[in-house]
Amino acid sequence: MKLQVPKGCRDFFPAEMAIRNWIVDRWQDVSVRNGFVEYDGPIFETLDLYRIKSGDEIVSQLFHFEDRGGREFAIRPEMTPTLARMVAARANSLSKPIKWYSRPRLCRAERPQRGRLREFFQWNIDILGEESEIADAECVFVAIDFFRSMGLTAEQVEIKLNSRAIVSSLLHSAEIADEQLPAVYAALDKRDKLSIEAFAEMIGELGLTEKQQDVLLHMGEAKGEDGFARVESLLAGNEAGTNHCRSLRRVFAILKSMGVEEYCTYDMGVVRGLAYYTGMVFEAFGKGGLKRAICGGGRYDRLVSDLGGPPMGGVGFATSDVVVQDVLAEFNLLPDLSSAGGFFVIDSDAERFDDVLTIVSALRNKGINAQFSYKRQGVNKQFKQATAMGAGRVVIIESDYVTSKAVSLKDMKSGKQVTINVEEWLKNPFCEVPE
Amino acid sequence: MKLQVPKGCRDFFPAEMAIRNWIVDRWQDVSVRNGFVEYDGPIFETLDLYRIKSGDEIVSQLFHFEDRGGREFAIRPEMTPTLARMVAARANSLSKPIKWYSRPRLCRAERPQRGRLREFFQWNIDILGEESEIADAECVFVAIDFFRSMGLTAEQVEIKLNSRAIVSSLLHSAEIADEQLPAVYAALDKRDKLSIEAFAEMIGELGLTEKQQDVLLHMGEAKGEDGFARVESLLAGNEAGTNHCRSLRRVFAILKSMGVEEYCTYDMGVVRGLAYYTGMVFEAFGKGGLKRAICGGGRYDRLVSDLGGPPMGGVGFATSDVVVQDVLAEFNLLPDLSSAGGFFVIDSDAERFDDVLTIVSALRNKGINAQFSYKRQGVNKQFKQATAMGAGRVVIIESDYVTSKAVSLKDMKSGKQVTINVEEWLKNPFCEVPE
């Protein structure tokens, strides 16, 4: 009986695994150099953790189960509840700002269909316990630092910034009530994914006046420096609104000092769908054909307290291995990871196989990748195997090795070869191979 | 409402995460330098995959669930079924030998109690499609290479080797029937964990003759070179048995050529509990107080075909993050990972904050870990923060920086400090700091 990988999940054969590791390692490098430390929780949490944050309707979107004791659990669909739970548990002993990252495997009970994965990997960056715009800007900087580390230029990706606080001020100016805001944000978040007609229809169902609908219809048009200036003049008489604009200006100024302004633009069309954002929000988009956001995040100020912790603001973002791979593929930036490199040790005579083992072991003990053929076969066949494995250097133990202690070292890239004493060579296995 | 981590699962706060990453990175380094490539499957598989390998009784030991379509899944409790499924799917196109490793997160529905974890990380090493003793020996070598990489010496850990084929020959000599073997192996596997009386009682319930029971009672006593020689003489008239002994001798000889014989010893007490082993088996033990095996594995020749693939032999082993951490702690070999290292950039004057941002960004863009204080505060307070974060080097932007372009660079370890032009310094941020 042949069994298959569950639909909507992926097998990672070595070629796919190498790409996944490469992306996940970049997440780590960029996090560490920006001063973040990693945390993780279990792959499943109590079902209540998700119910509290998102209500009962979330349950059908989770893979959930009971243990023998009747306790209810769910495989984690996102990392934020775990983050809030962990921070809440040690809120007083953790020194602020808390700069944490994670690279969780997440599962969602999507209907199995093309392009909708039930399992993926996510990168989460969060700064907690720091209210200033420096944290907001650093968060955006980390996303850009990641793009740069993969070779994505400002011609290829852009970050669109906005502020929920600014949006709120505008909505309040239009006398839209607080209790209508979650539905309004959810609608605004869909604006750029819909036709104008479909968006107008969605807006029409929110129970707003015509004038209010008109505000929503045109709000997303404010883009770039001109758009931002227009928003500022709209809010000129509104003290809170003016402060929110000043705050976002500060974020842009810090990003300029950090040398990444060319990636950043103002866009009133970005509001993020989730209810919990309270300040700056942002999304990154490729400038190619890919329509999905590459990453998104923003400031949230009540999440930790909602999950049982003290009042503590935060700012963060997330992206997934799937969308990163898509954008890299689009711009031809996926690395070639097919070559193993390292050494391949060959015996010119089956009698020398023990020496192959000794040398391979010595190299590995130095932390160096070293291979050999399991089969005792001719030098040419062993060479062929070395080539197929992408070896960087081949070492041939000559048949007079017992008396001469000589090995031939061939650099597979340059094709150059040298004969050298084995002890001498092992002192510096990556020594230069002369003509 | 305060929510907790599920019982039997662990939260990985940054300190614990650093240790987990350190162990899991060693697994990767050692795998790669020994020529293994990584694979992975999904966190859950179809429940049938586990039923086929282990029967219906396995279900109660799994966290299992249904999706909305009524399909049955389980969180993976081990990696072998996934490995066999993936290899079976591409058996013909994969070039042999297949040398694969994985570092899966696994879950088992243990009753929540002290020391019994419901979730842990495992390292799996497998060589498939190669029947020779070289593969058996290389597998053992990889385990030893891992021990060496963590600083565990032959005085601290040992690998006990045996062969299921040799045990079978001895059991056949005592006329124990094939259908009794699984129960006999399961009993022998418990021998060293029980008192002699308890072991004798267990043996007594297997329906064997007194003479057969006597063979089992004393079999495990054959240890070391003397023990192996005794086993060889017992099997002297038995051609198959003699061949099996010769094969295990060859494994020892290869390990000697690889320079790791001091870690290895013969032990008839090691048989492994699982039914699927067919040849060499081994377990590693610490020589301290820890009684559990640190890792274990062996040769299996029917696993892939049992799960729908072609007949293909394999040899492998596994260990877990939990037992590795326990043995490292016992021998005081856990690394100190508390220092972040890297740079910390300070402004001597809040006016210079923009320059802090520019320099931090420049360092990060070179892949270097660089931090700064979110608060504009005195140099001493910023210095204190740098020390608390374990910075390796502190950079102070002097108040006359606009005209002088000078920064002071302090090496926190040596305490030495130098003033240097910023452009000059950024060419080589790790430059030597003279007296």
Side-chain angles (χ1 to χ4, degrees):
Chain A
M1 177 173 177
K2 265 217 164 128
L3 291 165
Q4 314 248 310
V5 64
K7 279 200 181 118
C9 297
R10 291 170 290 174
D11 277 336
F12 293 87
F13 283 88
E16 294 95 50
M17 190 68 203
I19 294 282
R20 182 181 120 195
N21 275 339
W22 184 80
I23 291 172
V24 168
D25 287 350
R26 293 291 79 67
W27 290 346
Q28 180 174 42
D29 290 348
V30 171
S31 302
V32 169
R33 76 193 191 202
N34 282 275
F36 290 76
V37 289
E38 191 167 11
Y39 71 98
D40 192 12
I43 190 75
F44 58 85
E45 293 271 6
T46 55
L47 189 54
D48 280 340
L49 183 67
Y50 303 111
R51 280 208 191 100
I52 286 172
K53 176 167 173 259
S54 310
D56 274 332
E57 68 263 39
I58 190 73
V59 175
S60 71
Q61 297 162 40
L62 304 177
F63 291 116
H64 56 95
F65 53 90
E66 292 184 6
D67 70 1
R68 279 175 287 181
R71 298 171 196 86
E72 291 180 305
F73 301 106
I75 301 182
R76 60 187 179 194
E78 55 162 330
M79 203 59 189
T80 311
T82 300
L83 170 70
R85 177 179 65 66
M86 288 175 66
V87 167
R90 297 201 184 168
N92 296 324
S93 61
L94 291 166
S95 64
K96 319 290 175 310
I98 298 164
K99 291 176 69 177
W100 279 10
Y101 78 99
S102 63
R103 300 172 288 169
R105 182 194 284 266
L106 303 176
C107 295
R108 294 177 185 172
E110 305 274 1
R111 279 178 208 287
Q113 55 182 321
R114 209 183 145 76
R116 290 228 137 187
L117 288 181
R118 293 181 143 193
E119 184 187 51
F120 59 97
F121 294 82
Q122 196 181 59
W123 181 34
N124 286 254
I125 281 285
D126 286 277
I127 305 173
L128 291 123
E130 172 65 41
E131 319 290 329
S132 83
E133 293 91 355
I134 305 175
D136 294 17
E138 182 154 66
C139 203
V140 176
F141 177 82
V142 173
I144 297 169
D145 200 26
F146 172 60
F147 295 148
R148 289 202 299 195
S149 80
M150 293 189 305
L152 285 165
T153 66
E155 279 69 54
Q156 293 165 327
V157 292
E158 66 180 337
I159 302 237
K160 299 177 178 179
L161 287 100
N162 193 14
S163 161
R164 268 286 180 89
I166 295 175
V167 179
S168 291
S169 294
L170 286 174
L171 298 176
H172 285 148
S173 299
E175 295 179 341
I176 295 175
D178 272 343
E179 54 274 22
Q180 288 175 301
L181 291 186
V184 169
Y185 289 136
L188 286 175
D189 185 51
K190 298 213 173 70
R191 182 188 182 281
D192 285 354
K193 292 154 203 144
L194 298 175
S195 67
I196 295 181
E197 295 74 25
F199 179 64
E201 199 186 317
M202 182 180 255
I203 293 292
E205 287 162 3
L206 296 175
L208 302 171
T209 65
E210 265 192 41
K211 203 179 149 193
Q212 287 171 335
Q213 291 182 40
D214 203 53
V215 169
L216 296 191
L217 266 178
H218 296 288
M219 226 165 92
E221 290 161 10
K223 290 180 198 293
E225 176 49 39
D226 288 355
F228 197 5
R230 207 155 65 237
V231 169
E232 283 175 315
S233 70
L234 276 173
L235 291 169
N238 176 330
E239 197 187 326
T242 301
N243 283 337
H244 297 322
C245 289
R246 195 174 298 136
S247 176
L248 190 59
R249 284 268 179 221
R250 176 89 181 111
V251 173
F252 275 104
I254 295 167
L255 289 166
K256 185 175 176 184
S257 291
M258 298 187 95
V260 293
E261 60 181 321
E262 54 178 356
Y263 282 90
C264 305
T265 185
Y266 178 78
D267 196 323
M268 180 51 95
V270 169
V271 299
R272 307 287 294 154
L274 292 169
Y276 62 69
Y277 291 110
T278 51
M280 179 208 67
V281 286
F282 70 98
E283 288 178 351
F285 290 89
K287 295 183 177 177
L290 196 70
K291 292 297 167 215
R292 262 176 314 159
I294 308 169
C295 72
R299 175 161 285 281
Y300 49 87
D301 281 335
R302 286 183 294 270
L303 200 59
V304 177
S305 55
D306 285 354
L307 281 153
M312 187 191 290
V315 56
F317 76 86
T319 185
S320 85
D321 69 317
V322 183
V323 71
V324 167
Q325 204 162 323
D326 286 349
V327 74
L328 290 177
E330 178 169 23
F331 293 112
N332 231 334
L333 288 168
L334 283 169
D336 176 12
L337 304 167
S338 58
S339 275
F343 287 82
F344 195 100
V345 185
I346 289 176
D347 51 7
S348 53
D349 177 334
E351 291 289 308
R352 297 277 67 76
F353 181 52
D354 276 356
D355 302 308
V356 168
L357 295 172
T358 307
I359 290 174
V360 163
S361 171
L363 288 169
R364 289 177 181 174
N365 203 20
K366 288 175 189 283
I368 297 169
N369 178 344
Q371 314 300 324
F372 62 96
S373 176
Y374 282 175
K375 283 202 187 67
R376 304 303 12 108
Q377 50 190 0
V379 171
N380 285 349
K381 283 201 173 168
Q382 293 182 64
F383 235 105
K384 228 171 158 178
Q385 205 178 335
T387 309
M389 288 169 84
R393 294 188 152 200
V394 170
V395 180
I396 304 162
I397 301 176
E398 302 296 350
S399 46
D400 66 352
Y401 178 81
V402 180
T403 51
S404 70
K405 293 289 167 196
V407 295
S408 291
L409 174 66
K410 179 164 185 171
D411 185 304
M412 298 295 272
K413 208 173 161 189
S414 70
K416 291 174 189 169
Q417 188 163 334
V418 67
T419 301
I420 186 171
N421 173 275
V422 67
E423 303 292 337
E424 222 27 66
W425 164 65
L426 277 174
K427 283 181 199 157
N428 179 17
F430 293 100
C431 64
E432 214 180 315
V433 179
E435 298 280 1
Chain B
M1 176 173 181
K2 262 216 166 130
L3 291 165
Q4 313 248 311
V5 64
K7 279 200 180 118
C9 297
R10 291 170 290 174
D11 277 336
F12 293 88
F13 284 87
E16 294 94 51
M17 190 69 205
I19 293 282
R20 183 182 119 195
N21 275 339
W22 184 81
I23 291 171
V24 167
D25 287 350
R26 293 291 80 66
W27 290 346
Q28 180 175 41
D29 290 348
V30 171
S31 302
V32 169
R33 77 195 193 201
N34 282 274
F36 290 76
V37 289
E38 191 167 11
Y39 71 99
D40 192 13
I43 190 74
F44 60 84
E45 293 272 6
T46 55
L47 189 54
D48 280 339
L49 184 67
Y50 303 111
R51 280 210 191 98
I52 286 171
K53 177 168 172 258
S54 310
D56 274 333
E57 68 262 39
I58 190 74
V59 175
S60 70
Q61 297 162 42
L62 304 177
F63 292 115
H64 56 95
F65 53 91
E66 292 186 5
D67 70 1
R68 280 174 286 181
R71 299 170 194 86
E72 291 182 305
F73 302 105
I75 301 181
R76 61 188 178 192
E78 56 162 331
M79 204 58 190
T80 312
T82 299
L83 170 70
R85 178 179 63 67
M86 288 175 65
V87 168
R90 297 201 184 167
N92 296 323
S93 61
L94 292 166
S95 64
K96 319 289 176 307
I98 297 164
K99 291 175 68 176
W100 279 10
Y101 78 99
S102 62
R103 300 173 288 169
R105 182 194 282 267
L106 303 176
C107 294
R108 292 176 187 172
E110 305 274 1
R111 277 178 209 288
Q113 55 183 318
R114 210 184 142 76
R116 290 228 137 187
L117 289 181
R118 293 181 143 195
E119 183 187 51
F120 59 96
F121 293 82
Q122 196 181 58
W123 181 33
N124 286 254
I125 280 285
D126 286 276
I127 305 173
L128 292 122
E130 172 65 42
E131 320 290 330
S132 83
E133 293 91 356
I134 304 176
D136 294 19
E138 181 153 67
C139 204
V140 176
F141 176 82
V142 173
I144 298 170
D145 200 26
F146 172 60
F147 296 148
R148 291 201 298 193
S149 79
M150 294 190 303
L152 285 164
T153 66
E155 278 70 53
Q156 293 165 327
V157 292
E158 66 181 337
I159 302 238
K160 299 178 177 179
L161 287 101
N162 193 15
S163 161
R164 268 286 179 88
I166 294 175
V167 179
S168 290
S169 293
L170 285 174
L171 298 176
H172 285 150
S173 299
E175 295 178 342
I176 295 175
D178 272 343
E179 55 274 23
Q180 288 175 302
L181 291 186
V184 169
Y185 289 136
L188 286 175
D189 185 51
K190 298 215 172 68
R191 184 189 181 280
D192 285 352
K193 291 152 203 146
L194 298 175
S195 67
I196 295 183
E197 294 75 24
F199 179 64
E201 202 186 315
M202 181 179 257
I203 293 292
E205 288 162 2
L206 296 176
L208 302 171
T209 66
E210 266 192 39
K211 203 179 149 195
Q212 288 171 335
Q213 290 183 41
D214 204 52
V215 169
L216 295 191
L217 266 179
H218 296 288
M219 226 165 93
E221 291 161 10
K223 291 180 197 294
E225 176 50 38
D226 288 356
F228 197 6
R230 207 154 67 239
V231 169
E232 283 176 314
S233 71
L234 276 174
L235 291 170
N238 176 329
E239 197 186 328
T242 301
N243 282 337
H244 297 322
C245 288
R246 195 175 298 136
S247 175
L248 190 60
R249 284 267 179 222
R250 176 88 182 111
V251 173
F252 275 104
I254 295 168
L255 289 167
K256 185 174 176 184
S257 292
M258 297 186 96
V260 292
E261 60 182 320
E262 54 178 357
Y263 282 89
C264 305
T265 185
Y266 179 78
D267 195 324
M268 180 52 95
V270 170
V271 299
R272 308 287 293 152
L274 292 169
Y276 61 67
Y277 290 110
T278 51
M280 177 208 69
V281 286
F282 71 98
E283 288 178 352
F285 290 89
K287 293 183 177 177
L290 196 71
K291 292 296 167 218
R292 262 175 315 158
I294 308 169
C295 74
R299 176 162 285 281
Y300 49 86
D301 280 336
R302 286 183 294 270
L303 201 59
V304 177
S305 56
D306 285 355
L307 281 152
M312 187 190 291
V315 56
F317 76 86
T319 185
S320 86
D321 69 316
V322 183
V323 72
V324 166
Q325 203 162 322
D326 286 349
V327 74
L328 289 176
E330 177 168 25
F331 293 112
N332 232 335
L333 288 169
L334 282 170
D336 176 12
L337 303 168
S338 57
S339 276
F343 288 82
F344 194 100
V345 186
I346 288 176
D347 51 7
S348 52
D349 178 333
E351 291 290 308
R352 297 277 67 75
F353 181 52
D354 276 357
D355 302 308
V356 167
L357 294 172
T358 307
I359 290 173
V360 162
S361 171
L363 288 169
R364 290 177 181 173
N365 203 19
K366 287 173 189 287
I368 297 169
N369 178 344
Q371 314 300 325
F372 62 96
S373 176
Y374 281 175
K375 283 201 187 68
R376 305 306 7 110
Q377 52 191 0
V379 172
N380 285 348
K381 285 203 171 166
Q382 292 182 65
F383 234 105
K384 227 172 158 176
Q385 205 179 336
T387 310
M389 288 168 86
R393 294 189 152 199
V394 170
V395 180
I396 303 162
I397 301 176
E398 302 295 350
S399 46
D400 66 351
Y401 178 82
V402 180
T403 51
S404 70
K405 293 289 166 197
V407 295
S408 290
L409 175 65
K410 180 165 184 169
D411 185 306
M412 298 294 273
K413 206 172 163 191
S414 70
K416 291 176 191 168
Q417 189 165 332
V418 68
T419 301
I420 185 171
N421 174 276
V422 66
E423 302 294 336
E424 222 26 66
W425 163 65
L426 277 174
K427 283 182 198 156
N428 180 17
F430 294 100
C431 63
E432 214 181 315
V433 179
E435 298 279 1

